[in-house]
Amino acid sequence: MAQLYNESFPEPVKPMVPKEETVKFLLDFSKALSVTRYKNMTFETLNN
């Protein structure tokens, strides 16, 4: 079993890079998301 993890890959692994549009979308979404906690409740609102 240990040898499975030590074998080299037949082809080099390329790192995955997200598209610029994806990063921008996620950043914009996180800026617009507002989380409010009141007692034991959590409210999430999307402020556009």
Side-chain angles (χ1 to χ4, degrees), residues 17-28:
V17 180
K19 292 182 182 177
E20 188 175 325
E21 302 135 9
T22 305
V23 174
K24 183 175 178 352
F25 172 78
L26 291 173
L27 287 174
D28 290 343

